[in-house]
Amino acid sequence: MAINFLNTVDFNRNSVNNIRIQNLGADPSAANSAIGQIYFNTTSDTLKQYVSDTGGGNPGWIEVGATSGVETFTNANGTYVAFGTVNTSAFGDVTVGTVDLTAVDGTSTASDRFLTKANKWATIPFGDITEVQGGTYINVTNQTGPIPIVNHDLTSRTDTTSTASPGYGATFTAVDSVTTNTTGHVTATNLKTITLPADTLYTLPVTTLSGNQARISLTPTVGTVASTVDFIGTAGRIAITKQVQNNGSITVDFPDDVIIVDDLQVGGELTVLGTGQSSFGGQVTIPLVPVVDADAASKRYVDQSNIGQSVFQGGYNANTNTPDLDVSPATDIKKGFFWAVTVGGTFFSEVVQPGDLIYANQDNPGATFSNWVVVQSGQDIATANTEPLAIRGISAYDSTYFNVNGTGWATLKSQANANGVSQTLDNTTPVSRVEANGLTTFTIDLEDTSLFGPNALAKNVTVEITQNVSPFQTVYADVTRSGSGDISIIFSGSVAVDIYRVLLTHV
């Protein structure tokens, strides 16, 4: 992979020995070309250069050498084709203008000729039809040609309207069907006489049923009851009251004492206003965790509230293992029992000091360190030593650069560097972008807290520039450092944001 230089390289009048020009089989695209660029074309075995066109044409690749291309250009008009520009021994950027036919508008005759696809001149065939005339419902425009257009006449009609309000048992006439011929013209219609049914009046009286029941009957003015609907209550659950008459009423309600035979689900809140004793034949399910003081507590909540209660057992001499906690502890030790270290030493292999607390993490924890929890008092200053002997004390670590295990042992992350930063070249603090005079400059404020902080000096920072996406190739641009905390990355041309990033190391 080639090394990318993204700014001008100044050799300060030094020579480049044994240099080899880039070999390509075809011209690079315009997007990958610049004025003055050269390469060796292996197809034509020629050295080529990319040039501008001061004559008004487009830049392009040409062979290096004064006589290697077309030297002069001459063109002339023909009988049927003409050029916009006629040249005689022209050179440089030459144009022929617009190329077009010399034909003009006119009317063809029998003696005219046309060019066939077989590249032959042929006569125009003229027929015997001289005029196309219209007939019934047909009209023709441009009857004598050359292109007559045949049209169907427009059909118009005037519709009439009428209204009627027939009563019960009345008749009216309606169009039942329409017959048309193959051309779409109506040839016949069928009229049908329709008779409406006679009027029938119904009532819905409430009729008598014994007990906790009621009935409504669909009753015609003439004839028998057409249909009935019965309302039947249930003792202790549904009460039915009624007003027996035409346009009567039926009331469905709960009785004063309601019996729920099966399940009852309340969508909102259930409020019991009575002050007497309420009882439940089965268990009552409530939320596991109460919210306010007046809420009922579940069995699980009460049980969990008392599991693992911390119970102080006294002092512990870590120097003499008194009482015995890490060799052969008592089997009746319960989860939550804890001791306060009174004399420093080791608990299993961990260093403990006065003030530390040792908790049993399960019933009968035995001589297994993972069944115990040591709470460091953190009153001493942390010390440097081997992992078992280092004092765990007051200290804090940046998780970006350090790992700290459960015993408080801190180690430097293998891929972290507290003095190194990877920064994308964008236009957001601490980076600013300026494009001017054919250059793009990204200025980085090294004193920003996201980098090296106040008083950071650019002279003490090394820089490597890489691509921001795979393969993350190292590239080269001009790097300048101020006397303070600014460092500038300068590229030739226009370079967009987020294309490159810099790896910064403060030494």
Side-chain angles (χ1 to χ4, degrees):
M1 181 177 293
I3 298 175
N4 286 330
F5 288 88
L6 303 181
N7 206 330
T8 301
V9 179
D10 190 344
F11 288 97
N12 293 294
R13 293 181 297 280
N14 291 301
S15 63
V16 179
N17 297 335
N18 299 316
I19 191 170
R20 177 175 178 264
I21 302 298
Q22 181 184 19
N23 283 211
L24 296 173
D27 294 342
S29 65
N32 293 319
S33 304
I35 303 302
Q37 183 177 342
I38 61 174
Y39 84 96
F40 186 82
N41 188 297
T42 56
T43 302
S44 59
D45 283 336
T46 56
L47 187 66
K48 303 191 76 173
Q49 60 182 336
Y50 195 77
V51 299
S52 63
D53 187 349
T54 56
N58 295 321
W61 287 98
I62 64 170
E63 183 178 341
V64 176
T67 61
S68 58
V70 176
E71 297 183 9
T72 63
F73 179 80
T74 300
N75 66 301
N77 295 327
T79 302
Y80 304 106
V81 179
F83 296 95
T85 302
V86 176
N87 299 278
T88 302
S89 299
F91 61 90
D93 297 318
V94 178
T95 178
V96 296
T98 302
V99 181
D100 205 349
L101 299 174
T102 59
V104 297
D105 292 336
T107 302
S108 298
T109 65
S111 61
D112 287 342
R113 299 289 186 270
F114 67 94
L115 186 64
T116 69
K117 67 178 182 179
N119 201 29
K120 295 180 179 180
W121 292 104
T123 59
I124 300 175
F126 286 87
D128 296 327
I129 298 175
T130 60
E131 184 177 358
V132 178
Q133 297 182 349
T136 303
Y137 299 118
I138 298 298
N139 66 82
V140 179
T141 59
N142 199 10
Q143 295 179 346
T144 58
I147 304 176
I149 299 176
V150 180
N151 301 289
H152 191 290
D153 288 345
L154 299 177
T155 300
S156 62
R157 66 174 182 270
T158 301
D159 296 329
T160 59
T161 60
S162 60
T163 60
S165 301
Y168 292 102
T171 61
F172 64 90
T173 303
V175 176
D176 180 54
S177 64
V178 177
T179 304
T180 64
N181 61 20
T182 57
T183 64
H185 294 276
V186 176
T187 59
T189 59
N190 179 58
L191 301 180
K192 177 181 286 186
T193 299
I194 299 175
T195 301
L196 298 178
D199 183 19
T200 300
L201 178 64
Y202 289 88
T203 60
L204 287 171
V206 177
T207 58
T208 301
L209 282 179
S210 61
N212 193 21
Q213 303 179 81
R215 172 179 292 172
I216 57 175
S217 303
L218 181 63
T219 306
T221 54
V222 178
T224 60
V225 173
S227 179
T228 62
V229 176
D230 292 344
F231 294 81
I232 302 174
T234 303
R237 289 184 284 173
I238 300 295
I240 304 294
T241 58
K242 52 193 177 282
Q243 182 182 17
V244 179
Q245 64 181 47
N246 192 29
N247 297 325
S249 63
I250 298 174
T251 301
V252 181
D253 201 353
F254 288 119
D256 291 341
D257 295 321
V258 179
I259 299 173
I260 305 298
V261 176
D262 209 333
D263 298 336
L264 172 65
Q265 182 173 341
V266 180
E269 297 178 349
L270 177 64
T271 302
V272 179
L273 299 178
T275 58
Q277 181 71 31
S278 297
S279 61
F280 300 90
Q283 296 293 334
V284 178
T285 302
I286 62 174
L288 292 178
V289 180
V291 178
V292 298
D293 291 345
D295 288 351
S298 67
K299 178 180 181 298
R300 177 180 174 183
Y301 178 77
V302 174
D303 291 344
Q304 292 295 325
S305 296
N306 290 283
I307 291 177
Q309 289 281 3
S310 296
V311 181
F312 182 60
Q313 301 297 305
Y316 173 67
N317 186 329
N319 187 48
T320 62
N321 186 33
T322 305
D324 186 356
L325 298 181
D326 62 1
V327 175
S328 181
T331 58
D332 60 351
I333 295 175
K334 300 297 183 182
K335 180 178 181 180
F337 285 11
F338 74 98
W339 292 258
V341 177
T342 56
V343 179
T346 58
F347 177 65
F348 291 91
S349 61
E350 181 167 347
V351 175
V352 292
Q353 55 189 329
D356 293 348
L357 301 177
I358 300 175
Y359 282 83
N361 201 32
Q362 67 177 52
D363 293 344
N364 188 20
T368 302
F369 180 66
S370 61
N371 295 338
W372 298 83
V373 174
V374 177
V375 179
Q376 300 282 348
S377 65
Q379 299 302 308
D380 285 352
I381 301 299
T383 63
N385 207 320
T386 61
E387 181 175 358
L389 300 179
I391 298 291
R392 275 64 166 172
I394 300 174
S395 59
Y397 302 90
D398 188 339
S399 62
T400 305
Y401 309 110
F402 293 92
N403 292 313
V404 181
N405 66 18
T407 69
W409 180 248
T411 55
L412 185 66
K413 288 185 175 180
S414 59
Q415 296 184 9
N417 182 357
N419 296 322
V421 178
S422 176
Q423 173 64 53
T424 300
L425 294 180
D426 49 27
N427 196 23
T428 304
T429 303
V431 180
S432 61
R433 176 185 180 276
V434 175
E435 184 174 335
N437 303 319
L439 300 174
T440 301
T441 302
F442 293 91
T443 301
I444 305 173
D445 179 10
L446 301 175
E447 295 185 274
D448 189 88
T449 54
S450 65
L451 298 180
F452 302 116
N455 303 319
L457 296 177
K459 68 177 184 179
N460 296 327
V461 176
T462 61
V463 180
E464 181 179 355
I465 309 168
T466 70
Q467 296 172 335
N468 204 21
V469 296
S470 181
F472 305 103
Q473 183 183 11
T474 296
V475 300
Y476 298 89
D478 188 14
V479 179
T480 62
R481 295 169 174 82
S482 69
S484 58
D486 289 338
I487 193 166
S488 297
I489 314 298
I490 307 170
F491 298 89
S492 291
S494 178
V495 176
V497 298
D498 300 326
I499 302 301
Y500 301 102
R501 65 170 48 243
V502 290
L503 306 179
L504 306 174
T505 303
H506 196 290
V507 298

